[in-house]
Structure formats: C-alpha cells, structure tokens
C-alpha cells in the first residue's frame, strides 16, 4: 500500500511539472528543456530554508516557487529579447551550469546531495498526507492553467501562438507574454520541487539532469502538447511505465538508460506518427500534425 | 610573475586541445549555415562515432585505422539517415522550428541512452593507453598527439576551405544556404547539397572523436557538454561563418586554458557557461569589429567628458 501512496505523491509532483512545462512549450511555444532546473531551484531553496532557518513549510515551498519564478524571468529576458531560438541554448547552459555550481558549492551539499531536510509530517500517515497535498497542488495548478487559458489572457496567448507577427503588428507585446508564461510555468515547477524536497528529505544534483528533461518532454509530447489534459495523461502513463519495467528486476546500470531509450523512442514515434499526442488539441488535430 | 615557458606551454596545450573542439564547432556551424537547423543530434552522432570506433578496435580487434573507417561510415550513414527520414519529413510537413529542436535533441538523447545501455557508463578510451611520446622544443612539451591533432585539424580545414570555395558542390551549398527556394529554381539539387553537408559534418565529427578518444576517456553523455562548446563557438563566430566559428573555438579554448591563472581549476568548466550568457547578451549575431565599435561607442563619447572633469 505504501508503494502506491508513494507513487501518488510522485504523480502529483509530475502532473504539476508536466502541466507547467506544457504551459511554456505547448502554449507559449517557448523552446526550453531546462524545466528540471527550476524544479531543482525550488527543491534546494525549500530544503535550505527548512534546514537553516526552520521556515514554515508552506512559506518555504512558496519561496521555492518564488526563486524559480524570478530566476526564470531573469534567464528568459536576454534570450527572448533576441529570438525565441536562443532560449533553448541559454536554458541548457543555465541547467548544466547551475548544476555544476551546485556540485561544487559546500552549502548545497555538493555532488553528494543535500540531506537532513526536516520531516514536517510525523507518523504512519506521512506518505498519505504528502500524497493528498501533492495531488491537491497538481489539481490547483491544472485548474489555474485552465482558468488562465480560458480567460481573456488565454485568447491573447492563442493569438500570439497562431501568428506572432500579426499579434505584434497590433501593438501587443509578445515578449512580455512569453516571459510571463515562462516565469509562471517555472514558478509552478519550483513549488513541485519544494514538495519533493520535503517528502524525500534528500536531494542531489543528478536528480535534475537531462534524464528529467527527457522525461518531462516525453510526458508532454506523448500526452499532447498544447492540450490541457494531455500532460496529465502523459504524466500518469510515463510514471506507470517504469514501474512496469521495474518488475523485470534489471540491474540499475541497465534500468536508467532503458527508461531513457523508452522515453525518447516514444517521443520520436509520437513526433512522426501522432504529433498531436494522445489527447491532442482540437486545433492541432485539424491541422493534421505538428 | 608568470614564467614565459609556462605561459607558452599553456597556450600550446590550449591550441592542441582546441583541435577537436574546432572540428565539432565547424561541423555544427556548417549544418546551421546550409541546412538551417540547430543540429543538437550532433552530440548523439558524436557518441555513436566514438563507440563504433571503440567497439571495432577494442571488442573486435580491428586495426585502429580500419576502425576509424568503420566509424566514419557509421557516422555518415547516421547523419544521412537522420536528414533523409527525419528532417526531410519535418520539412515536408512545414513543421515549426520547435519540432526540429525537439527532434534533434531527442535523437541525441536516444543515441546517448542506447549507447549507455550497450556499453555502460564507465569511461572508455579508444586506445588502452592514452599516453603519447613527447618532444621538448624551447622548453615547451609537445606531445605526438598534439602534432597529430594540429595536423589533422589544419588539413581538414584546408580541404574544407578548398571544397567550399573552389568546387561547384561547395558553391551550390553556399547558394542553398543563402536561399534554398531560389537555388531549386535555378536547377541546383538542394537534397544533394544537404546530403553533402551531412557527409562533411560526419567526416569532421569522426576526426574529432578520433582525436578526443585517443587523448581522453568518455561516457555516452560527454558529447553533450562538448556540443555546448560548439554551439557557443558558432554563436560567437556568427551564423553562417563557419571558419569564424573555428576561430571562436580556438579563442574559447585558450581562454579556458589561461583562466588557470585567475580561477581555481574546479571552476574552469563554468567559464563556458559564462561565455554563453555574454554571447547571448552582447554578441547574439557573433563577434565583429562593427559590434565592438557599437559597444565601445558610449565609452569613447564619455571619455573626453571624464577628462574634462565633468
């Protein structure tokens, strides 16, 4: 039972991550695969605040989201000023560079990771409490994204995505909208990072490497980029899949690359044969592909 | 006071070590110029090239030169396969640039994971020993590997220069890079230009991985970090200027080497990321004299005012 409850915690975290990543890549059309670094920023901020300042858990998680929000805005501003294409390169550089810094700085625990994050929920129902919180946050994030996209701002985003040139010609500031979407999506990832840090009580730089990027990209592409429920379906599917492989009892040296091969094969297969994903947006379906 | 021989040694080592980085940067810049794709799949292809050579030489005991030939064939095949069945399909569909990005990135990651599954994640080198003989010239240690690396790189760049500017195919590639639609209209075979581009990129990547693999050990993920170097060099050199990318790669490599005087060695890797942000912020179109003048203009205007004490 504990196993399934732990899975539910991860499910909530990954739904938050994939939905927020979809806001950036699917709705904003922003090319970045560095979402895990904002997840890491949230996790490290929360973990450090909890260890050194014994901050209230809710505040520490929100601070994690805040740090991710601000740093993503600072990262995207210079890149988007030039062209959206530069964001991918800057974001990969930021991800690899920041992880390099985390590995070499002592207060983050270095390459061996940050442990001893205080346990905020005692007792046998710890995992169940975290599962409820994590799934609730995921539901709120999905609802907030839905609310954002269905309102007037959503129509602005859709107009920008459909024809950025015409959108800018009407006097609208496309860069500001992209920057906002990037910051909001990254902020949500930071919040997910905070929950992750409190639940596992240990974080290390290698948990936020390129494999995480591949996993999130797979969730969004397989589920359906630019659709509201696609990333949710993608997250559920992609989290259950490794559990199924886990029963094969393969050595860990084979397991991690095998997962990577499966994720990337799925992305390639969907990219060519079903670009709209499992739950594609109506617009993409009518276009017949990516 | 810095000893001159130490300085010369660092400069020489930096130059020799930049050899493979130059080849990767030129391969990347060439594809960006002609095919107009940020080919992140190059990292995966680099790993594939190395591991094919490694398997042929170390697992099947094939002589090194023949193994390089097999690696070259595999690299070129992978490049052409990716272009014909991947990129061409996306071009036919008029896919957005986002799809091209995702495709090349995912191909790269797919190859890295596949190779990690087959060969594991233990670092391996092409030769059992990566030591090579050394010669001392005016107090500077020059290894046989250094000489080989510099000669191979200069030779390949020379051949590429002659090919690009003295052959019809090279001129066709330049035309396709400039305007593929107009080139097609004038009867130039655009597909052929793309294929030749990927063949050249394959040659450069294989040569680079041979040089790197005979000097250091790698794991399947190593090429991704090396690719970032190529990307920054391409950005610094300016889009479409492949030989400027080579110059940028040398400069970056020298700066990395010389930084040992200023910062601790464990932070040397970070210089690359600092350069990435500086490039994106100040030189998104590449470094040029004109851009320097623009950047310096406010300073030169202010200077007399400071002198006047205003």
């Amino acid at each position: 039972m504990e196993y399934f409850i732990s899975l539910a915690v991860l499910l909530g975290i990954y739904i938050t991550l994939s939905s927020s990543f979809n806001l950036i890549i699917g709705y904003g059309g922003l090319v970045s695969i560095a979402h895990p670094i904002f997840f890491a920023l949230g996790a490290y901020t929360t973990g450090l605040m909890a260890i050194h300042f014994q901050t209230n858990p809710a505040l520490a998680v929100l601070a994690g989201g805040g740090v991710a929000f601000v740093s993503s805005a600072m990262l995207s501003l210079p890149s988007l000023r030039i062209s959206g294409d530069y964001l991918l390169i800057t974001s990969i550089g930021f991800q690899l560079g920041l992880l390099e810094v985390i590995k070499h700085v002592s207060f983050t625990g270095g390459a061996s990771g940050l442990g001893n994050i205080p346990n905020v929920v005692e007792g046998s129902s710890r995992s169940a409490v975290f599962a409820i919180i994590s799934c609730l946050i995921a539901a709120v994030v999905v609802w907030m994204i839905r609310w954002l996209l269905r309102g007037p701002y959503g129509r602005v985003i859709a107009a920008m995505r459909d024809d950025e040139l015409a959108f800018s010609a009407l006097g609208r500031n496309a860069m500001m909208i992209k920057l906002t979407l990037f910051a909001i999506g990254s902020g949500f990832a930071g919040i997910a990072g905070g929950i992750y840090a409190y639940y596992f009580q240990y974080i290390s730089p290698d948990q936020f490497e390129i494999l995480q990027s591949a996993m999130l990209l797979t969730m969004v592409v397989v589920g359906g980029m630019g659709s509201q429920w696609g990333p949710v379906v993608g997250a559920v599917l992609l989290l259950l899949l490794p559990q199924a492989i886990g029963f094969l009892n393969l050595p860990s040296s084979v397991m991690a690359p095998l997962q990577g091969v499966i994720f990337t094969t799925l992305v390639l297969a969907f990219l060519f044969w079903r670009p709209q994903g499992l739950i594609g947006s109506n617009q993409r379906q009518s276009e017949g592909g990516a | 006071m810095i000893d001159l021989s130490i300085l010369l040694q660092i400069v020489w080592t930096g130059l020799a070590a930049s050899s493979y980085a130059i080849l990767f940067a030129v391969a990347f810049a060439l594809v960006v110029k002609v095919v107009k794709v940020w080919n992140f799949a190059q990292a995966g292809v680099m790993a594939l090239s190395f591991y094919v050579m490694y398997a042929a030489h170390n697992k099947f005991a094939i002589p090194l030169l023949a193994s390089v030939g097999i690696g070259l064939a595999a690299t070129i095949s992978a490049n052409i396969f990716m272009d014909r069945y991947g990129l061409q399909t996306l071009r036919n569909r008029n896919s957005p640039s986002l799809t091209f990005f995702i495709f090349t990135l995912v191909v790269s990651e797919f190859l890295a994971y596949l190779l990690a599954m087959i060969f594991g994640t233990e670092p391996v080198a092409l030769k059992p020993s990566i030591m090579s003989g050394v010669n001392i010239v005016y107090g500077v240690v020059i290894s046989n590997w250094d000489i080989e690396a510099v000669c191979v790189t200069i030779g390949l760049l020379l051949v590429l220069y002659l090919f690009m500017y003295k052959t019809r195919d090279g001129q066709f590639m330049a035309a396709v890079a400039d305007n593929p639609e107009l080139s097609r209209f004038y009867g130039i075979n655009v597909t052929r230009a793309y294929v030749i581009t990927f063949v050249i990129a394959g040659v450069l990547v294989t040569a680079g991985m041979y040089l790197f693999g005979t000097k250091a050990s790698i794991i399947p993920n190593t090429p991704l970090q090396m690719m970032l170097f190529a990307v920054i060099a391409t950005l610094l050199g300016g889009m479409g200027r492949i030989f400027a990318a080579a110059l940028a790669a040398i400069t970056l490599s020298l700066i990395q080497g010389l930084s040992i005087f200023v910062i601790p060695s464990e932070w040397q890797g970070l210089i690359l990321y600092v350069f990435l942000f500086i490039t994106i912020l100040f030189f998104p179109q590449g470094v040029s004299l004109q851009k320097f003048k623009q950047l310096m203009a406010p300073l030169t205007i202010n200077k007399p005012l400071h002198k006047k004490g205003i």
Side-chain angles (χ1 to χ4, degrees):
Chain A
M1 193 61 191
E2 181 66 22
Y3 172 77
F4 289 106
I5 296 172
S6 295
L7 199 61
V9 178
L10 278 178
L11 209 62
I13 289 171
Y14 276 97
I15 287 173
T16 306
L17 282 172
S18 60
S19 296
S20 54
F21 188 41
N22 184 41
L23 183 68
I24 294 169
I25 197 166
Y27 290 104
L30 294 163
V31 197
S32 161
I33 59 155
H35 212 50
I37 199 63
F38 301 109
F39 180 42
L41 273 172
Y44 271 97
T45 306
T46 306
L48 289 169
M49 285 182 82
I51 293 169
H52 298 293
F53 306 108
Q54 290 81 42
T55 316
N56 177 290
L59 279 180
V61 170
L62 281 175
V67 168
F69 182 93
V70 173
S71 52
S72 69
M74 284 165 64
L75 171 76
S76 58
L77 194 61
S79 329
L80 291 173
R81 195 171 53 89
I82 306 148
S83 146
D85 294 352
Y86 285 85
L87 183 63
L88 178 76
I89 298 146
T90 327
S91 59
I92 294 176
F94 184 64
Q95 182 177 11
L96 298 176
L98 196 61
L99 288 176
E100 198 72 18
V101 173
I102 291 171
K103 281 176 194 168
H104 286 102
V105 171
S106 57
F107 76 91
T108 57
S112 50
L114 183 71
N116 296 326
I117 297 170
N119 186 11
V120 287
V121 184
E122 302 283 350
S124 58
S125 57
R126 180 179 183 271
S127 290
V129 171
F130 269 102
I132 292 166
I133 293 171
S134 141
C135 289
L136 258 176
I137 289 176
V140 170
V141 167
V142 171
W143 178 81
M144 278 178 78
I145 292 172
R146 193 179 162 84
W147 172 78
L148 184 78
L149 296 169
R150 291 210 163 181
Y153 202 70
R155 285 192 289 277
V156 171
I157 294 166
M160 180 197 71
R161 194 185 58 182
D162 290 347
D163 194 337
E164 196 177 321
L165 201 66
F167 181 78
S168 302
L170 289 170
R172 293 282 191 166
N173 191 344
M175 195 189 91
M176 193 48 73
I177 290 169
K178 285 181 177 181
L179 198 137
T180 310
L181 285 180
F182 194 66
I184 292 173
S186 304
F188 285 146
I191 289 173
I195 302 292
Y196 185 88
Y198 269 124
Y199 180 64
F200 288 100
Q201 297 176 266
Y202 168 77
I203 43 175
S204 70
D206 53 356
Q207 293 165 342
F208 308 100
E209 292 272 7
I210 297 289
L211 178 64
Q212 280 284 354
S213 305
M215 191 169 171
L216 290 177
L217 192 63
T218 314
M219 286 173 179
V220 174
V221 173
V222 169
M225 210 181 339
S227 85
Q228 280 164 23
W229 295 107
V232 179
V233 175
V236 174
L237 232 131
L238 268 292
L239 267 183
L240 294 180
L241 192 68
Q243 311 306 322
I245 306 165
F247 289 114
L248 294 172
N249 282 328
L250 291 167
S252 60
S253 59
V254 178
M255 257 318 264
L258 179 64
Q259 273 186 28
V261 167
I262 292 170
F263 291 155
T264 48
T265 309
L266 275 172
V267 175
L268 288 174
F270 272 81
L271 217 53
F272 285 97
W273 288 295
R274 199 175 160 79
Q276 73 272 28
L278 287 172
I279 303 177
S281 66
N282 292 333
Q283 183 206 4
R284 278 169 188 268
Q285 272 168 356
S286 63
E287 279 172 0
Chain B
M1 188 71 187
I2 300 163
D3 191 317
L4 185 68
S5 63
I6 295 176
L7 188 70
L8 281 174
Q9 184 66 63
I10 291 174
V11 170
W12 170 253
T13 311
L15 274 175
S18 70
S19 56
Y20 47 81
I22 293 170
L23 296 175
F24 301 141
V26 171
F28 187 81
L30 185 69
V31 175
V32 172
K33 178 187 165 86
V34 181
V35 189
K36 298 279 182 290
V37 167
W38 292 76
N39 181 25
F40 291 98
Q42 186 179 307
V45 174
M46 279 157 68
L48 178 80
S49 177
F50 171 82
Y51 277 99
V52 170
M53 287 189 276
Y54 166 78
H57 185 56
N58 292 282
K59 306 277 179 193
F60 299 101
I62 296 169
L64 190 58
L65 202 64
S67 301
V68 174
I70 295 169
L72 179 65
T75 310
I76 291 173
S77 308
N79 263 345
I80 294 175
F81 183 83
M82 186 193 68
D83 179 57
R84 292 297 80 216
Y85 297 100
L87 295 175
Q88 190 55 45
T89 310
L90 298 180
R91 271 184 225 117
N92 292 342
R93 286 183 189 172
N94 285 325
S95 297
S97 62
L98 178 69
T99 315
F100 282 91
F101 271 123
I102 294 175
F103 172 70
T104 57
L105 264 171
V106 172
V107 166
S108 189
E109 287 177 352
F110 170 77
L111 287 171
Y113 289 128
L114 190 68
L115 293 166
M117 216 168 75
I118 299 168
F119 295 99
T121 47
E122 285 294 313
V124 286
L126 267 183
K127 288 179 184 172
S129 168
I130 51 175
M131 302 298 286
S132 72
V134 293
N135 315 281
I136 297 174
V137 182
Y138 296 110
V140 177
V141 178
I142 298 174
S143 72
N144 292 342
W145 182 90
D146 291 350
I147 298 167
E148 187 187 13
V150 171
C151 291
V152 167
T153 306
I154 292 173
L156 281 173
L157 289 185
L158 198 66
V159 172
L160 179 64
Y161 179 83
L162 292 173
F163 181 84
M164 291 298 289
Y165 294 103
K166 302 288 175 192
T167 66
R168 279 178 76 81
D169 272 323
Q171 286 160 353
F172 286 166
M173 278 165 67
V176 171
D178 198 37
N179 191 332
E181 294 309 316
L182 198 62
S183 305
R184 196 173 279 122
F185 184 75
Y186 278 103
I188 294 172
N189 189 341
V190 175
T191 306
R192 183 182 158 86
Y194 287 161
V195 169
I196 292 173
T197 304
F198 277 108
V199 169
I200 296 171
V203 173
L204 296 171
V205 161
T206 310
M209 286 318 287
Y210 161 76
L211 292 175
F212 187 75
T214 48
K215 187 184 169 72
S217 305
I218 79 160
I219 57 168
N221 256 339
T222 311
L224 190 70
Q225 296 245 347
M226 293 158 77
M227 263 293 294
L228 205 65
F229 189 99
V231 174
I232 299 168
T234 305
L235 283 171
L236 270 172
M239 299 296 179
R241 295 157 67 196
I242 49 176
F243 294 102
L247 266 178
I250 297 171
T251 313
L252 276 175
S253 193
L254 283 179
I255 290 171
Q256 257 190 323
L258 291 169
S259 67
I260 194 112
F261 292 118
V262 192
I263 56 167
S265 58
E266 70 260 30
W267 291 106
Q268 261 187 305
L270 267 184
I271 291 179
L272 207 58
Y273 304 111
V274 173
F275 261 92
L276 175 69
F277 288 101
I278 292 174
T279 310
I280 299 263
L281 269 175
F282 300 110
F283 307 105
Q285 307 302 326
V287 178
S288 65
L289 274 177
Q290 201 182 356
K291 180 71 187 173
F292 259 124
K293 281 177 188 167
Q294 278 173 8
L295 275 175
M296 299 306 282
L299 298 176
T300 47
I301 290 166
N302 286 338
K303 217 171 181 178
L305 296 175
H306 288 301
K307 277 184 179 173
K308 284 173 193 169
I310 296 168

